[in-house]
Every structure is written in structure tokens, then in C-alpha cells.
Amino acid sequence: MSYQYLKRARKIICIGRNYAAHIKELNNPTPKQPFFFLKPSSSIITPISLEHEKKSLPNNSSFHGLNDDGTNPGPIYIPRQTIVNHEIELALVMDKYISNVTSEEFLASDVYDAISGVALALDLTARNVQDEAKKKGLPWSIGKGFDTFLPISQFIPKDVFIKDKEDLQNAFRVTCSVNGELRQDDSTRLMLNPLHKIIQHISTMISLEPGDIILTGTPSGVGPINPADEISGELYYHEDKLVDMKFSCETRPGPYVYRET
């Protein structure tokens, strides 16, 4: 069970609006090309387990770096007066430099060689913070970047799915449940922008480096989580479960309370 890959992440890039049903449920326009945003590494948390106990933090702190083994075990912190939504996603972990490649140069068959493996991630969103920023034309980094807003699983090396190395697009399924209620359950085959197009498109603006993490978008079924909730996710390779993860939710410590900007 390795989390060392998280120590190597130079940046975390997240694709937005990549499933049609999710776009519809949020009443968003469909983008004409892939778009993305960034999450800070300080938003990373990993599951608490028998092997990885809850991290002890300085008083009133919500992040104090990753452990030597890459873990940051702890709960999801819900900032006061925010409406936080879950978004379950397949995460790609890059293994090569990819820069300025064209659509003719980077195909579905190139994805396997470009990555070291995958993980399961939750892109948490403070929806009311994001909505206000979008309405006023302000950046919405805060709504995506709070501490603990990137719960993520252990690393799954690509050798596990070598039989699909020519095209990984239809190989995975992600699920998300809150308090035992299944909310999200869909295949990566439903992505509007496939994995190879995501990598190629990002590379034309921001060069990808070994260790970078790409979140590939969330299917429909997003919904709120609140303090005292328990949220879980699962990643399947065809019908085989690769990994699962579980987190509890608590009120964020510290002085922050959402107020209109």
C-alpha cells in the first residue's frame, strides 16, 4: 500500500465537465474544448487505517505536510457555512514529460506508456463558494483548494491493467457512497474527452512532468457532504475492485467562516 507517489506530485490538474450527465445536473454549458483547474498539494488527505493512524497536527491546524511515506491520514474538514459536494474521479499519475504534443502525436495507445499508474480521488468542491466566484467573475481556486479537499487513495501501478494497454478508456469504473447510499457509479467510457485527449490538450499549455496527477472528471450524482457523514469510494478495473477508500467528515478547525466576497 504505497502513497509515496504523492511526495513526487509537482502539480495536480483537474479536468472539469467531462461527463454529459454531470454537466446537465449542474445546469452548466458544455465546453467546446477540455478545460482544467489546479488543486494545491496541501489539499491532499489519505485514509485512516490500521496501518496509517490519524495524523497528529499542531493546535488548530488542518495541514502540516505529508508524512515521509506520503500519507496524510485524517478526516475531511467541512469549512463553516459552506456547501461541500463530492466528485469521485479516476486519477492518472504521470511517468513522463509530455510537452506540446499534437493530437496526431499522442493517441489512445500512448496513454499506458505515459503514466506510471492510477489512483482514486475525490475532487471536493465548496459549491456556494465556487458559485459566488463564478457569478462575480472571480477566481474559484478557494472553492476547490481548501485543506482536505483532495482525498486520494493508494497508488495502483499500471502493470495491473496491462492487457488494456492499447486503450484504457473503457477499463475503469468509479463509485461513491455517502452514509451507505450509492450516489455515483459510472464507467470512464462515458467521458466526453478521453484520456489521451486530456493529456495531449494539457500539454499544449502546461507541460506535464513525472509525478503530476491528473483528475479526469466526475460522473453524475454529485451531492452534499456534512460533518458526521461518512463517504467512501471504489475504483474498479472492469469488474475487479482495485481499491477502496473511506473518510469521515468533521467541521474544519480555525477561524474561517464563508462570507460573501
Side-chain angles (χ1 to χ4, degrees), residues 22-234:
H22 173 58
I23 294 172
K24 183 177 180 180
E25 72 182 351
L26 294 186
N27 197 30
N28 285 324
T30 301
K32 295 180 180 179
Q33 59 183 345
F35 81 93
F36 55 88
F37 54 91
L38 304 178
K39 274 184 177 279
S41 58
S42 53
S43 63
I44 291 172
I45 57 166
T46 58
I48 298 170
S49 66
L50 293 175
E51 184 181 355
H52 301 110
E53 297 180 357
K54 181 178 178 180
K55 188 173 181 178
S56 178
L57 297 174
N59 186 44
N60 227 26
S61 174
S62 49
F63 183 77
H64 201 67
L66 301 178
N67 293 330
D68 290 341
D69 63 359
T71 61
N72 183 35
I76 293 167
Y77 286 135
I78 309 295
R80 284 173 288 174
Q81 300 301 316
T82 61
I83 299 169
V84 177
N85 281 186
H86 59 79
E87 301 182 14
I88 197 75
E89 311 200 12
L90 172 72
L92 304 178
V93 184
M94 299 303 298
D95 193 40
K96 293 184 180 298
Y97 287 95
I98 307 291
S99 182
N100 289 326
V101 294
T102 67
S103 57
E104 292 78 22
E105 293 172 324
F106 198 86
L107 308 175
S109 57
D110 295 312
V111 173
Y112 184 89
D113 188 52
I115 65 172
S116 58
V118 301
L120 180 66
L122 279 162
D123 169 23
L124 299 182
T125 306
R127 191 68 68 194
N128 55 336
V129 179
Q130 183 192 46
D131 286 349
E132 184 210 351
K134 288 163 65 176
K135 182 178 179 181
K136 295 181 177 178
L138 301 172
W140 36 274
S141 298
I142 295 173
K144 291 284 191 177
F146 283 105
D147 293 349
T148 79
F149 268 34
L150 181 54
I152 196 163
S153 78
Q154 69 199 63
F155 177 73
I156 300 103
K158 67 182 181 182
D159 293 353
V160 173
F161 39 86
I162 189 171
K163 70 178 183 180
D164 287 288
K165 66 180 296 184
E166 293 304 313
D167 190 352
L168 293 172
Q169 190 60 52
N170 301 332
F172 302 104
R173 180 166 62 91
V174 293
T175 74
C176 180
S177 299
V178 178
N179 300 326
E181 174 195 0
L182 182 65
R183 291 190 179 177
Q184 294 183 275
D185 183 358
D186 265 318
S187 166
T188 53
R189 70 170 56 92
L190 298 177
M191 288 183 182
L192 297 177
N193 297 292
L195 301 176
H196 67 282
K197 184 175 181 180
I198 289 171
I199 294 172
Q200 182 270 324
H201 181 74
I202 292 171
S203 85
T204 66
M205 292 164 281
I206 298 179
S207 294
L208 291 163
E209 304 170 89
D212 285 352
I213 298 171
I214 301 175
L215 273 60
T216 58
T218 194
S220 63
V222 303
I225 52 174
N226 299 289
D229 283 346
E230 187 174 84
I231 184 169
S232 59
E234 297 174 325

